[in-house]
Amino acid sequence: MPMKTYSYHGKAVGFEADIWEPGPHKIDGHAKCGLPDQNAGHYTAQQDPFEIPNLLSHAGCTSEVTASPEDKDGFFRTEVRATLNKLSLEGDALTADQLTLGMVTVYRRQWFDNDKPHAKRVRVVPYGCSIVNLAVKGTPVKDYLPAVFHYSTDRCETYLRGDAPDAKVEDEIRKAITDSPTRFLYVKNFGRIFFGEWTLLPGADWQPIHQIYMLRLSMGSPQTGNGGGTGGQGGGSGGGNTGG
């Protein structure tokens, strides 16, 4: 049965937090945007500089989701991007000049009737991600991001548009996802900082939605709460009938 519809999925957020102590303080998504339906479209959001004195501040953030209509080669493409500037938590407990998340999701009409294992799933890859000058209590933090977060544009596009997915890239993506719970830095009297946290959520027809946060914070004694810097979701699915 030929593919008749494609359902897009894309969301982005610059910064969010839920802090109970000291607090409560709930930041329900600075610069949050997304596709309001499953159709192609372009959406953006922006947040001005923000501060909770003696607790956290940032110099503003932006987000963008672009779901492009099917092109002449049968590709459906969704681009998700979020940027957060000058993040600071508890003075110099954690600082970063800039966090940038990029994620691209691609599916091709011609794959739908292919009997190969990859035929029914979208391809997703981090795209143009960076963490600039991250420091904890003034000390620079090493690069915790896995290899797939550092791919060149050419390597990303080769993977996304190839007739068959590159096996090595697939292995590195799988490892980036499964290793996410172990990719953190523990800071005494602050909590855990997770890097490039990549999780899968159940989507329509149980097709996975990929969710990535460049930084996720799990704060402990004496403060309590959680937060995320530059996060996004990408996914999509093809349907064989007009209701799919």
Side-chain angles (χ1 to χ4, degrees):
M1 179 184 296
M3 189 179 99
K4 294 184 178 180
T5 63
Y6 181 77
S7 299
Y8 294 87
H9 183 91
K11 293 182 180 181
V13 63
F15 182 76
E16 57 189 358
D18 190 0
I19 300 171
W20 314 303
E21 182 63 38
H25 300 286
K26 186 172 181 63
I27 301 171
D28 190 22
H30 282 174
K32 180 168 63 174
C33 73
L35 302 176
D37 47 36
Q38 298 177 328
N39 299 316
H42 178 239
Y43 300 87
T44 63
Q46 181 174 341
Q47 169 69 42
D48 291 335
F50 176 84
E51 180 179 12
I52 300 176
N54 303 315
L55 183 59
L56 69 86
S57 66
H58 65 68
C61 49
T62 60
S63 67
E64 181 176 18
V65 176
T66 303
S68 301
E70 181 180 8
D71 69 14
K72 62 182 179 59
D73 296 315
F75 285 100
F76 301 84
R77 184 183 182 100
T78 305
E79 299 185 7
V80 173
R81 189 172 182 84
T83 300
L84 174 65
N85 298 306
K86 295 290 184 183
L87 176 65
S88 175
L89 291 171
E90 296 186 353
D92 68 348
L94 182 149
T95 59
D97 285 350
Q98 188 177 78
L99 307 176
T100 301
L101 167 74
M103 181 196 311
V104 174
T105 302
V106 163
Y107 191 72
R108 193 178 192 188
R109 180 179 295 276
Q110 288 89 325
W111 296 341
F112 188 78
D113 289 325
N114 189 322
D115 292 331
K116 295 181 180 179
H118 64 81
K120 293 296 190 290
R121 58 180 172 85
V122 299
R123 297 184 197 171
V124 182
V125 69
Y127 200 103
C129 298
S130 64
I131 299 176
V132 180
N133 293 334
L134 179 69
V136 170
K137 299 180 180 178
T139 301
V141 175
K142 72 176 185 178
D143 183 5
Y144 280 83
L145 296 175
V148 68
F149 282 80
H150 297 295
Y151 282 177
S152 67
T153 298
D154 286 346
R155 189 168 191 189
C156 289
E157 292 295 337
T158 298
Y159 167 70
L160 291 168
R161 300 178 70 87
D163 289 337
D166 183 293
K168 183 177 180 181
V169 173
E170 298 260 277
D171 286 344
E172 291 186 335
I173 288 174
R174 187 177 300 108
K175 184 172 176 56
I177 295 170
T178 57
D179 286 357
S180 280
T182 67
R183 201 162 50 244
F184 69 86
L185 172 65
Y186 172 73
V187 181
K188 187 177 181 181
N189 296 325
F190 181 81
R192 287 178 169 83
I193 306 165
F194 292 84
F195 302 91
E197 185 182 66
W198 192 340
T199 54
L200 300 180
L201 308 175
D205 299 325
W206 293 98
Q207 291 289 333
I209 294 170
H210 292 250
Q211 177 173 278
I212 298 176
Y213 279 90
M214 292 303 291
L215 282 186
R216 187 177 69 80
L217 310 173
S218 179
M219 294 177 282
S221 176
Q223 65 287 316
T224 308
N226 55 63
T230 58
Q233 293 182 359
S237 60
N241 56 66
T242 55

